[in-house]
Amino acid sequence: MADLEKFRAETRAWLEQNCPAEMRKPMTSDGDTFWGGRNTKFSSEARRVWFERMRDKGWTVPHWPKEYGGGGLDGEEAKIVRQEMAAIGARQPLTSFGISMLGPALLKYGTEEQKKEHLPKITAGLIRWCQGYSEPNAGSDLASLQTRAVGDGDDYIINGQKIWTSYANYADWIFCLVRTDPAAKKHDGISFILFDMTSKGVSTKPILLISGYSPFCETFFDNVRVPKSHVVGTVNRGWDVAKYLLQHERAMISGMGERGVGRPLGQIAADSVGADAQGKLDDAQLRSQIANFEVDEAALAAAAERAVDLAKAGQSHPAFSSAMKYYGTELNKRRYEILMSAGGIDALEWESDRSRGGARPRAWLRTKANSIEGGTSEVMLGIVAKRILDLPGA
Amino acid sequence: MALVLTEEQSMLRDSARGLISDKAPVAHLRGLRDAKDTTGFSRELWTTFAEMGFSGLLVPDQFGGSGLGCVEAGIVMEEIGRTLMPSPFLATSVLAASALSRGGSEAQKAQHLPKIADGSLLAALAIDEGAKHRPLQTKLQATRAGNGFKLSGDKAFVVDGHTADLLIVAARSAGSAGDKNGLTLFLVDPKAKGLAVERTAMVDSHNAARIVFDNVEVNADSVLGEVDQGFGLLEGVLNIGRGAVASEMVGLSDEVFGRTVTYLKERKQFGKAIGEFQALQHRAAELYIDIEITRAAVLKALQALDADVAKAATAVAVAKARAGTTATLAVQEGVQMHGGMGMTDQFDIGFFMKRARVCQELFGDSNFHTDQLASGKGY
Ligand SMILES: Cc1cc2nc3c(=O)[nH]c(=O)nc-3n(C[C@H](O)[C@H](O)[C@H](O)COP(=O)(O)OP(=O)(O)OC[C@H]3O[C@@H](n4cnc5c(N)ncnc54)[C@H](O)[C@@H]3O)c2cc1C
Ligand SMILES: Cc1cc2nc3c(=O)[nH]c(=O)nc-3n(C[C@H](O)[C@H](O)[C@H](O)COP(=O)(O)OP(=O)(O)OC[C@H]3O[C@@H](n4cnc5c(N)ncnc54)[C@H](O)[C@@H]3O)c2cc1C
């Protein structure tokens, strides 16, 4: 414990010295997120400085091994870094699907060569990844995917279509599920493969979201040639890799939303609905909705912390991330319903400068995808019923 | 009175549905949005509305209207809700027509109502000032000046405020924010000196405006109803508007529900229609029940308004509160059950979600009306 307290003090001092003031302010738009990649730009000088200092310290991904550009921290230490960053409101230096999704799968299933090739480029923010799982007819039923990879010497030739591929149009590489054995049962003929989005035959077409933004694409593969050595894990056993990755994706999505940071919801609401002399919101219903929400939010935060600790202690159920994904995303949707209600008329404006281009309603609409992306709420509940409760027929 | 539509009312519904679904499907709204149309509705369609007698639906016979009631207005609103048609119907034919026919002098009625009926006059009601609907908190100041008044203050969320030829403005002529006494309604020419209108682009691509009044002069003839005693009139008009918006939300909910059920039958995953999964069946069944209960509450409120506006407050609070939660549920379930498709702009469901949010806020959200009910019952 003494060591940890020392580590905490050092971490606090280092962050205090190295995190620019601008990087301690809440993010105001998607553009404030730094995703890395070949074509990336920093939105500000402070953004660049913060990222580079954290990268050099190994803290873009504190808990990954040092040899891959991580910080080599153990679970307790990594938690302290997270807590101390949260305490000063420090922004994530780097956000990427490489960190939250591909990395954990590579660490578990990748060859040493694959880890050396890809992980350092993730921690250094050099390569931006996208996820090629869903297809038009393979959403919740992901294992029915039809994108084909046919062997040709040392390569595969890939043909097919993905959909809902987030940021495919900005990504440098894709981790992709392809069918390598069409004769096998649906879960048994899938492989997990990596390739460069600039490969000949890859094209993307952005899809407009109800928020008015285009964060995802249709992605097409027309005779894309990929070396067989780019398969992660065993050929035809890609489903194991895919599912393992999904657990991490779900943990990430369940943690979305600005939990506990920024101004308390009640104060945001007070700006628009007013408060009485004691500071109580002038809308009794809204007040109780906010209070109920905050009770659940605090409890979820405890559950999230506990989930990490249980995992470390080897006591967690592998499907528990589905429970957290369900609760976390439904809660985040509730948060935005409350924010819309609190903002009232002002939160309905879509374009004005006053409304920062309709930032609030656009963010509200975006949250509706939280319970769809990474597996729908219905699928999460199904997984809990089947894998944790062991209910028959589930 | 039976809570079913009469034969005439069913015929009205059929003709409204025929016209609206034919001339203004959701693609109509989408087109106006994408073209960044500055009017935000089709004037040509408004002319058709007038020809079919819809624009003057609530205007008494002697002023060229059809002299029908809130149930009939609700029928048209429900059809508008099904396709999200942007139309002056709510602001002009429901709110302004009710305000004028209920509170206007003979001269005011004779001047404006025939033009509402023939479609040549567009009007708007300016009430809200803060972020939430709180009519009693009206602060826009009306100060006596000569034989008239000067108006100063801000209005927000004025439906159709950017195209109105006539504004009906709630102002405080006495007392302070929160008082029932001291509210006066004024008829104001939007071109008057000192008045600035800004069209606000809204999440639902429907029309609204912010209006600033800077010492706008109005004469004594422009008072609608009685000086300082406008709240009763305003409350009645608002309740008629609330009933109308609740009807729109029933139409919207029903349409989203119908589209979702169709999708449950069509979309296949795991080798079957997703509608075969009981988890979704039960949610669809619950939503159906919710909509049917709200539909009854709304019809009850419309009938109560037709019987006696002054006694309809509780029924209207129930209707608008329910319509808000039902529509919210319907659009959320609609998006969720469509999966990724539901999140795309290309698909229409999102338009319903956006409109439902605006309707929720319009003339008081579910929280507001739940509170109204409690206050009305004295707790
Ligand atoms: C914003 C966003 C970003 C995304 N990013 C990516 C990405 O980067 N890469 C990627 O590969 N995919 C991505 N997705 C796709 C996402 O994973 C799928 O949308 C999701 O898995 C659902 O699939 P679907 O859209 O085909 O819906 P469907 O599977 O068709 O589902 C429709 C409805 O049926 C329900 N349903 C289906 N099966 C059952 C069942 N057995 N029991 C009960 N209910 C059921 C669903 O829960 C849903 O409500 C993204 C999606 C969104 C919205
Ligand atoms: C107070 C009372 C009065 C009653 N009066 C009468 C009467 O007058 N006449 C008469 O004939 N019966 C009567 N019943 C019996 C009643 O109809 C049955 O209890 C009911 O049909 C449920 O059957 P079960 O008790 O065998 O429960 P089960 O069928 O074993 O159900 C157990 C649980 O599983 C759920 N369940 C069952 N099937 C499904 C499914 N397909 N999908 C989802 N969930 C499911 C149920 O909702 C329940 O929660 C009465 C019961 C009660 C409690």
Side-chain angles (χ1 to χ4, degrees):
Chain A
M1 278 318 257
D3 282 355
L4 283 180
E5 281 320 303
K6 186 160 161 266
F7 178 76
R8 183 182 294 280
E10 285 166 10
T11 300
R12 185 173 300 171
W14 189 88
L15 288 171
E16 194 49 61
Q17 205 162 34
N18 288 282
C19 183
E22 189 191 318
M23 290 298 107
R24 304 182 192 195
K25 293 191 195 124
M27 302 205 288
T28 54
S29 79
D30 270 3
D32 289 342
T33 306
F34 179 64
W35 289 91
R38 287 174 190 147
N39 306 311
T40 196
K41 286 197 189 67
F42 292 98
S43 58
S44 72
E45 183 58 14
R47 199 78 207 71
R48 185 186 63 78
V49 167
W50 175 228
F51 165 72
E52 289 179 354
R53 287 178 184 165
M54 286 293 272
R55 177 197 63 195
D56 295 345
K57 183 119 180 124
W59 284 3
T60 53
V61 199
H63 59 286
W64 282 6
K66 280 195 165 145
E67 52 193 305
Y68 306 130
L73 304 186
D74 68 20
E76 281 299 333
E77 292 166 338
K79 183 167 166 181
I80 287 172
V81 173
R82 277 198 306 276
Q83 287 171 340
E84 293 303 319
M85 282 177 67
I88 61 168
R91 294 184 191 173
Q92 284 305 323
L94 172 67
T95 300
S96 93
F97 296 162
I99 297 176
S100 55
M101 300 194 221
L102 178 63
L106 272 183
L107 283 167
K108 186 172 166 80
Y109 290 96
T111 61
E112 194 48 43
E113 212 183 333
Q114 286 170 334
K115 292 182 202 173
K116 284 216 179 81
E117 169 65 23
H118 298 296
L119 295 177
K121 291 180 186 163
I122 291 173
T123 51
L126 295 174
I127 292 294
R128 181 169 180 176
W129 288 86
C130 66
Q131 176 188 37
Y133 277 27
S134 306
E135 296 178 4
N137 290 312
S140 296
D141 184 11
L142 181 60
S144 68
L145 61 96
Q146 295 299 331
T147 294
R148 279 284 278 130
V150 179
D152 181 35
D154 288 341
D155 299 332
Y156 282 116
I157 308 291
I158 298 177
N159 279 289
Q161 188 203 333
K162 297 291 174 181
I163 194 167
W164 321 126
T165 328
S166 292
Y167 305 112
N169 47 344
Y170 301 123
D172 306 310
W173 276 65
I174 186 168
F175 49 92
C176 194
L177 293 180
V178 294
R179 188 158 297 284
T180 35
D181 182 357
K185 284 205 335 224
K186 70 177 180 181
H187 294 93
D188 296 339
I190 295 171
S191 298
F192 187 105
I193 195 165
L194 314 175
F195 52 95
D196 194 317
M197 289 292 280
T198 59
S199 309
K200 194 162 164 281
V202 178
S203 59
T204 60
K205 190 169 154 226
I207 306 171
L208 193 63
L209 214 63
I210 56 178
S211 63
Y213 298 127
S214 280
F216 55 24
C217 298
E218 290 181 275
T219 306
F220 302 92
F221 309 127
D222 179 16
N223 288 315
V224 181
R225 185 170 284 274
V226 181
K228 284 183 174 166
S229 61
H230 286 194
V231 169
V232 177
T234 313
V235 171
N236 292 334
R237 298 299 311 159
W239 188 246
D240 297 339
V241 186
K243 273 195 306 188
Y244 181 76
L245 181 147
L246 279 173
Q247 284 172 25
H248 286 271
E249 175 179 5
R250 284 165 189 162
M252 183 252 316
I253 296 174
S254 81
M256 287 196 326
E258 324 85 270
R259 229 156 261 149
V261 307
R263 294 180 64 215
L265 272 181
Q267 283 180 21
I268 296 175
D271 291 348
S272 41
V273 305
D276 69 10
Q278 283 86 47
K280 282 191 182 174
L281 280 186
D282 257 351
D283 184 329
Q285 308 264 344
L286 184 61
R287 181 171 183 269
S288 79
Q289 284 155 2
I290 292 176
N292 285 328
F293 167 83
E294 297 205 298
V295 165
D296 293 341
E297 186 189 44
L300 178 71
E305 189 180 340
R306 181 164 179 263
V308 173
D309 295 342
L310 282 175
K312 210 170 58 205
Q315 295 174 20
S316 69
H317 193 292
F320 195 70
S321 65
S322 294
M324 294 298 289
K325 199 262 174 185
Y326 169 75
Y327 203 85
T329 55
E330 294 298 333
L331 198 66
N332 200 41
K333 290 198 296 182
R334 231 169 97 198
R335 175 191 178 85
Y336 272 86
E337 285 294 328
I338 289 173
L339 276 168
M340 289 301 287
S341 187
I345 294 162
D346 298 339
L348 300 174
E349 286 195 31
W350 191 239
E351 281 169 1
S352 61
D353 291 339
R354 191 169 43 229
S355 65
R356 289 189 290 114
R360 195 177 294 181
R362 290 174 196 268
W364 162 68
L365 289 162
R366 175 63 182 81
T367 63
K368 299 304 177 194
N370 296 164
S371 52
I372 298 170
E373 58 200 323
T376 65
S377 279
E378 292 74 21
V379 167
M380 294 307 106
L381 293 174
I383 290 173
V384 170
K386 178 178 179 169
R387 308 254 324 269
I388 302 184
L389 307 182
D390 202 19
L391 288 168
Chain B
M1 195 188 289
L3 283 163
V4 288
L5 299 186
T6 62
E7 200 172 319
E8 291 80 23
Q9 288 166 345
S10 300
M11 280 164 58
L12 173 68
R13 182 196 57 202
D14 293 346
S15 70
R17 183 173 298 180
L19 173 71
I20 292 170
S21 62
D22 180 36
K23 293 281 195 295
V26 180
H28 173 66
L29 172 64
R30 183 189 287 277
L32 291 167
R33 180 197 71 173
D34 292 348
K36 293 198 178 288
D37 187 288
T38 50
T39 304
F41 64 90
S42 157
R43 288 191 188 268
E44 196 188 325
L45 255 176
W46 185 239
T47 306
T48 313
F49 251 54
E51 284 160 10
M52 293 186 66
F54 295 158
S55 53
L57 201 122
L58 289 176
V59 171
D61 307 339
Q62 70 265 37
F63 298 108
S66 4
L68 293 170
C70 293
V71 172
E72 285 80 8
I75 287 168
V76 175
M77 286 301 292
E78 189 174 328
E79 296 310 317
I80 284 176
R82 285 180 191 282
T83 72
L84 310 175
M85 172 189 182
S87 165
F89 185 76
L90 175 66
T92 298
S93 305
V94 177
L95 298 167
S98 302
L100 285 160
S101 53
R102 297 176 62 76
S105 64
E106 284 312 308
Q108 287 168 336
K109 291 188 204 176
Q111 186 185 354
H112 300 300
L113 285 174
K115 291 187 181 166
I116 288 181
D118 72 18
S120 61
L121 180 91
L122 297 175
L125 186 65
I127 309 297
D128 294 331
E129 298 178 6
K132 300 296 280 188
H133 177 71
R134 299 284 185 270
L136 274 180
Q137 298 295 328
T138 297
K139 287 204 277 278
L140 186 135
Q141 200 63 42
T143 323
R144 284 195 186 269
N147 88 340
F149 293 83
K150 277 188 177 175
L151 307 180
S152 280
D154 299 342
K155 290 289 178 187
F157 207 22
V158 182
V159 176
D160 293 347
H162 70 307
T163 47
D165 308 307
L166 176 70
L167 294 171
I168 303 175
V169 182
R172 184 151 296 282
S173 43
S176 48
D179 294 348
K180 268 190 190 168
N181 283 328
L183 288 182
T184 306
L185 296 182
F186 293 93
L187 300 177
V188 183
D189 178 353
K191 292 191 211 65
K193 199 163 151 273
L195 195 152
V197 180
E198 175 203 355
R199 183 182 182 212
T200 38
M202 304 293 273
V203 59
D204 64 342
S205 311
H206 279 53
N207 294 311
R210 289 184 184 266
I211 304 183
V212 178
F213 295 76
D214 178 14
N215 284 306
V216 174
E217 290 179 24
V218 289
N219 62 29
D221 293 344
S222 55
V223 171
L224 183 68
E226 284 174 61
V227 174
D228 292 348
Q229 299 304 313
F231 187 72
L233 172 61
L234 176 61
E235 175 93 316
V237 172
L238 282 174
N239 277 337
I240 292 170
R242 288 160 180 155
V245 176
S247 302
E248 177 176 351
M249 291 168 100
V250 167
L252 176 162
S253 304
D254 203 45
E255 179 67 22
V256 169
F257 174 69
R259 288 174 183 233
T260 303
V261 168
T262 302
Y263 194 70
L264 293 185
K265 293 175 184 168
E266 285 169 4
R267 171 69 173 167
K268 288 203 166 61
Q269 285 289 278
F270 303 99
K272 36 176 127 162
I274 57 174
E276 288 182 57
F277 298 118
Q278 199 179 37
L280 300 187
Q281 288 176 349
H282 282 192
R283 298 230 309 267
E286 274 190 79
L287 181 53
Y288 164 81
I289 294 168
D290 204 77
I291 292 171
E292 287 310 308
I293 287 173
T294 296
R295 188 195 304 281
V298 172
L299 185 52
K300 190 84 188 162
L302 297 171
Q303 290 186 353
L305 285 163
D306 283 335
D308 185 352
V309 169
K311 291 190 184 138
T314 302
V316 169
V318 169
K320 183 70 172 54
R322 284 276 325 179
T325 50
T326 295
T328 302
L329 179 70
V331 295
Q332 287 176 354
E333 291 289 51
V335 168
Q336 180 67 23
M337 293 192 201
H338 279 84
M341 285 306 285
M343 285 301 298
T344 63
D345 184 73
Q346 183 205 343
F347 219 67
D348 287 343
I349 290 282
F351 282 79
F352 288 89
M353 177 169 268
K354 293 167 181 175
R355 181 63 185 158
R357 186 85 245 324
V358 174
C359 288
Q360 169 74 301
E361 227 44 64
L362 201 49
F363 311 136
D365 62 10
S366 295
N367 285 345
F368 176 88
H369 288 290
T370 307
D371 200 67
Q372 291 285 107
L373 176 110
S375 302
K377 298 202 171 202
Y379 65 93

